[in-house]
Amino acid sequence: GRWHNFALIAFQGRELIQMTAEAEDPGLKELITALEGLQATDSWGSSKERAGILLENAESARATKQTDRVLDYCAEAVTLSVGCLGEQRQVLLGALDGTQEKVMALMDSGEAMEGALDVLVTEVQIRQLSAEAHMDKGQVQEAKGELEVAEELSAKLSDEVETARCLRSRGMLCLMQKDVKTAEDLLRRSIELCRAAEDPKEEAAAIKLLIKLYRQSEGMFERVCGLYHELLEALQRGEDAHGVSMTLLKLGQFRLEKHLADTSKGVELEFADLEMTDLDLGGALEYLLVRNVG
């Protein structure tokens, strides 16, 4: 029928793309042959599946703050992921040039390449989680090492969201080391990547860190208010109504603290400032009342 014809055309198209790509690049043909050989072994499927299960276990362990267990799961998962590809891992990384076009072209070259790229994606996620667990334990150098590899891989894969996560985590590391300037630069880059990738959830997470960075600093009132508005926009794009409400509440409280501090110093308040504070707190209260009634 019609769907069979479509599937046949798609298959033939893919075969043609693969043949053309291999003819243009003999090294690619060699890599694909090697990957097909790896994936024909019994250990490939079991190692790849086990690494995925360990990643899920590590995520569950982190949710319950079992940091040592997270690190154990991640260490085993990284060993399996790297072992899956063996010597072909570096060859595959050499074939990637950091562009989405290259990733798509390689994926079109066959299932063996798709499977290999999937292993790299899993490795990025494992290393990112491992870095976060090391940060939880205050192990800065170990976290930095994991993030360097994760960021290199995600950049090669042209994965903007994972790269943004790495930048955000590096920003957190810099905050731990009191390197405020570098932290701000990294978090800003993370936010820009998230916006380019249209991922408001990750964007909001990075903006929250910037707010935390500046909220207690002198002379940063306007900048923090601006960041709160950026956060509200990200949460609205992500359709996070609860997050919007909580952010309005925090922004209102932040403004109120500033007004009280100014009043204690004898500074005369502007009506417009008080009105903005009232609107922020009123918006948060309105959401909470609707939520409680619902």
Side-chain angles (χ1 to χ4, degrees), residues 48-59:
K48 187 170 181 286
E49 183 181 356
R50 175 68 179 155
I53 291 169
L54 286 166
L55 174 58
E56 290 177 7
N57 290 346
E59 288 170 339

Side-chain angles (χ1 to χ4, degrees), residues 5-18 111:
N5 291 337
F6 282 157
L8 184 60
I9 290 167
F11 175 76
Q12 289 172 337
R14 186 168 186 159
E15 289 289 298
L16 182 61
I17 290 168
Q18 182 174 347
E111 289 182 10

Side-chain angles (χ1 to χ4, degrees), residues 219-236:
M220 290 291 180
F221 178 73
E222 293 300 333
R223 178 175 282 193
V224 173
C225 287
L227 286 169
Y228 269 120
H229 285 124
E230 287 185 42
L231 177 56
L232 285 168
E233 288 173 9
L235 293 168
Q236 285 167 345

Side-chain angles (χ1 to χ4, degrees), residues 1 11 28 31 76 85 107 121 128 141 159 165 176 198-199 226 253 263 265 268:
F11 175 76
L28 176 60
L31 174 59
E76 186 182 348
L85 295 174
M107 286 183 71
V121 170
Q128 172 72 23
Q141 290 308 313
D159 189 331
R165 283 179 184 152
M176 289 169 68
E198 298 182 352
D199 191 320
Q253 289 172 328
T263 303
K265 295 173 188 173
E268 192 172 330

Side-chain angles (χ1 to χ4, degrees), residues 184-199:
E184 181 182 11
D185 291 344
L186 289 167
L187 292 171
R188 271 289 165 204
R189 283 171 57 200
S190 176
I191 291 165
E192 287 166 12
L193 276 176
C194 290
R195 285 177 182 160
E198 298 182 352
D199 191 320

Side-chain angles (χ1 to χ4, degrees), residues 67-234:
T67 309
D68 288 332
R69 186 164 286 183
V70 172
L71 291 172
D72 288 342
Y73 286 140
C74 287
E76 186 182 348
V78 164
T79 301
L80 286 169
S81 290
V82 172
C84 268
L85 295 174
E87 295 176 0
Q88 301 309 315
R89 182 175 178 275
Q90 285 305 119
V91 181
L92 176 56
L93 289 175
L96 292 162
D97 62 6
T99 65
Q100 193 66 41
E101 291 76 15
K102 188 67 173 182
V103 173
M104 296 307 293
L106 288 175
M107 286 183 71
D108 282 335
S109 66
E111 289 182 10
M113 189 63 76
E114 273 189 50
L117 290 170
D118 189 44
V119 169
L120 288 182
V121 170
T122 300
E123 185 185 339
V124 171
Q125 294 169 341
I126 295 164
R127 289 188 183 277
Q128 172 72 23
L129 191 59
S130 176
E132 290 172 0
H134 279 301
M135 281 191 279
D136 290 343
K137 290 175 74 71
Q139 297 169 339
V140 173
Q141 290 308 313
E142 290 86 345
K144 190 176 178 183
E146 292 284 41
L147 286 173
E148 283 174 357
V149 180
E151 190 175 342
E152 179 192 355
L153 293 178
S154 57
K156 282 278 191 180
L157 290 163
S158 187
D159 189 331
E160 291 175 326
V161 174
E162 286 298 340
T163 302
R165 283 179 184 152
C166 290
L167 290 171
R168 190 184 81 220
S169 294
R170 281 179 57 202
M172 289 172 66
L173 269 181
C174 288
L175 286 179
M176 289 169 68
Q177 296 173 296
K178 311 296 184 190
D179 185 353
V180 175
K181 181 66 176 69
T182 306
E184 181 182 11
D185 291 344
L186 289 167
L187 292 171
R188 271 289 165 204
R189 283 171 57 200
S190 176
I191 291 165
E192 287 166 12
L193 276 176
C194 290
R195 285 177 182 160
E198 298 182 352
D199 191 320
K201 185 177 179 183
E202 286 297 324
E203 180 188 341
I207 295 171
K208 285 176 184 175
L209 279 176
L210 272 181
I211 290 172
K212 186 177 180 181
L213 175 64
Y214 289 122
R215 188 170 169 140
Q216 304 303 324
S217 304
E218 287 289 326
M220 290 291 180
F221 178 73
E222 293 300 333
R223 178 175 282 193
V224 173
C225 287
L227 286 169
Y228 269 120
H229 285 124
E230 287 185 42
L231 177 56
L232 285 168
E233 288 173 9

